[in-house]
Amino acid sequence: MEVVLGVGGGIAAYKAALLLRLFTEAGHAVTVIPTEASTRFVGIATWEALSGRPVSNSVFDQVDKVNHVRLGHEADLIVVAPATADLLARAAAGLASDLLTNTLLMARGPVLFAPAMHTEMWRHPATVANVELLRRRGAVVLDPAVGRLTGADSGPGRLPEPEVIFQAALAAVDAALSQDGSLPQHGSLRQDDATALEILAGKTVTVTAGGTREPLDPVRFLGNRSSGKQGVALARAAAAAGAHVRLISAHLEVPPPPGVETIAVETALELRAETLSAAKDSDVVIMAAAVADFRPANPSGSKIKKRDDADDPVIRLIRNPDILAELVQARPQSAPAGQLLVGFAAETGDERGGVLEYARAKLERKGCDLLVVNHVGAGKVFGQDLNDVLILDRDGGTPIPAAGTKDEVARAVVEQVAAHLAPR
Ligand code: CTP
């Protein structure tokens, strides 16, 4: 495919070289359009050498070829990385002040922005409004990663990792193709992804993931087998659909997706506090975390010693609050109108019917809108890369089966979330 890689004037411009490599190594042809400012960070010679194509940033080079029209029309995808606050503002305003912004105005295919800037700039109302406008127009604007920034500061504002941008860009192309009626090429995105992309763009989605750990003493805890892979895949899928995603992560065996705001927690009570607070401005909360139902009643402040002169310790457990139930309860007072709550359930049963019955009862009991039901058995689900679920809704609609990689299942869940958010 023909890719235009726009490079904005930020220190992260050097990372765009790695992104370029990912595209060329996957067999795509890339034309780089750096902004004038970005060439202070990475020179044109680097882009020409890495892309094997001539590089310019002016509409007045090769005027006879009318490059902005040609590039905009021919591009199957335009990726802007890093997208600075200035570039986002120019794109949102529809300015045509250099070759890149001219090309963006001529774009026919999907456009993805990967922002990088200081946290204050990202949170400034002007930038927030520009991002929202671009998303509403159908562009994919990734959330920046959280971490160390150029100076001593840290926070949201880092350029997402090149691999994340690459995957999100391919997902955007697939979504655009399926909107067209053509078949997705780069994965198994489903036909409703494009719609999901439209509905979720600009929405706030909170995802909880991983297994909570309940301390027994400073070195020991009660945990569970959750790897967090499904929750992380959900966060990735919602972000690829253009949502602002907040991942509240208990213990994960996989890294959280860069580009997603991540809040790390340990215990069910910490998870509860962060989730209840995040839910207040979330359009969707997906409770994929494996929350411990019980915690040690009296965790020891110092390491519990084995002693020959004392009885073996007995651990008394007390109930943890049911966070999902609290979210359901709090919704009428403190949540945005139309908030959608999604629960997960791991059920065992001898055959599918039994699992389904059990799941329906849980959906009813919990009062959430959607319940994603895993059928667990020996070796199934926990830590595996494949998953097999049924998605149930509260209105008693036909359960939707989804099976495949955890990313595929995540996309199916995100599709159902979008379908239930859509005005009916
Ligand atoms: N959950 C929660 N708070 C808890 C326990 C679970 O919010 N203290 C959420 C999970 O994140 C999941 C859903 O509730 O989305 C279902 O969890 P599960 O443990 O299967 O449900 P329980 O109500 O604990 O049912 P069971 O009696 O089968 O354990």
Side-chain angles (χ1 to χ4, degrees), residues 35-236:
T35 62
E36 177 71 38
S38 79
T39 59
R40 295 191 179 219
F41 295 101
V42 180
I44 281 183
T46 301
W47 300 125
E48 290 191 329
L50 289 178
S51 69
R53 288 184 165 184
V55 169
S56 154
N57 50 29
S58 166
V59 274
F60 299 109
D61 288 339
Q62 297 180 298
V63 176
D64 56 317
K65 299 219 165 75
V66 204
N67 269 336
H68 61 291
V69 174
R70 184 180 60 78
L71 288 167
H73 280 182
E74 286 177 4
D76 299 300
L77 165 72
I78 302 183
V79 178
V80 181
T84 57
D86 174 73
L87 206 39
L88 291 171
R90 288 196 283 144
L95 294 188
S97 42
D98 57 9
L99 183 58
L100 177 55
T101 44
N102 271 278
T103 306
L104 284 170
L105 285 177
M106 296 301 302
R108 289 176 164 174
V111 177
L112 179 141
F113 294 91
M117 65 196 74
H118 289 281
T119 304
E120 292 83 346
M121 297 169 87
W122 173 248
R123 290 191 174 145
H124 192 284
T127 308
V128 170
N130 290 331
V131 168
E132 206 178 295
L133 183 58
L134 289 166
R135 283 176 174 160
R136 242 186 292 131
R137 281 195 207 130
V140 176
V141 184
L142 299 180
D143 281 328
V146 178
R148 182 78 196 273
L149 304 175
T150 321
D153 52 340
S154 63
R158 272 171 74 89
L159 184 73
E161 290 308 309
E163 177 67 33
V164 171
I165 303 173
F166 178 65
Q167 292 299 340
L170 297 186
V173 172
D174 278 344
L177 286 173
S178 57
Q179 207 166 21
D180 253 20
S182 330
L183 282 177
Q185 293 177 333
H186 306 103
S188 49
L189 278 185
R190 302 151 70 104
Q191 61 186 21
D192 291 340
D193 271 18
T195 328
L197 213 66
E198 257 166 40
I199 294 166
L200 282 165
K203 294 273 195 300
T204 299
V205 177
T206 293
V207 180
T208 68
T212 58
R213 290 177 160 185
E214 307 297 327
L216 281 163
D217 68 17
V219 292
R220 304 181 180 94
F221 58 82
L222 291 182
N224 61 63
R225 288 176 185 269
S226 171
S227 65
K229 285 180 184 170
Q230 188 61 74
V232 165
L234 281 159
R236 196 167 29 238

Side-chain angles (χ1 to χ4, degrees), residues 1 3 5 17-32 47 49-53 166:
M1 114 182 130
V3 179
L5 173 59
L18 304 172
L19 178 60
L20 168 55
R21 264 285 156 80
L22 290 173
F23 279 112
T24 53
E25 277 171 14
H28 304 296
V30 184
T31 302
V32 182
W47 300 125
L50 289 178
S51 69
R53 288 184 165 184
F166 178 65

Side-chain angles (χ1 to χ4, degrees), residues 208 268 271 286-294 320-327 342-347 358 362 365-366 368 371-372:
T208 68
L271 187 94
I286 304 179
M287 285 294 299
V291 186
D293 285 323
F294 301 96
N320 273 326
D322 186 325
I323 304 165
L324 186 53
E326 285 190 66
L327 289 172
V342 184
F344 268 70
E347 298 290 0
Y358 213 40
K362 185 169 283 183
R365 194 168 67 241
K366 295 252 177 187
C368 53
L371 190 72
V372 182

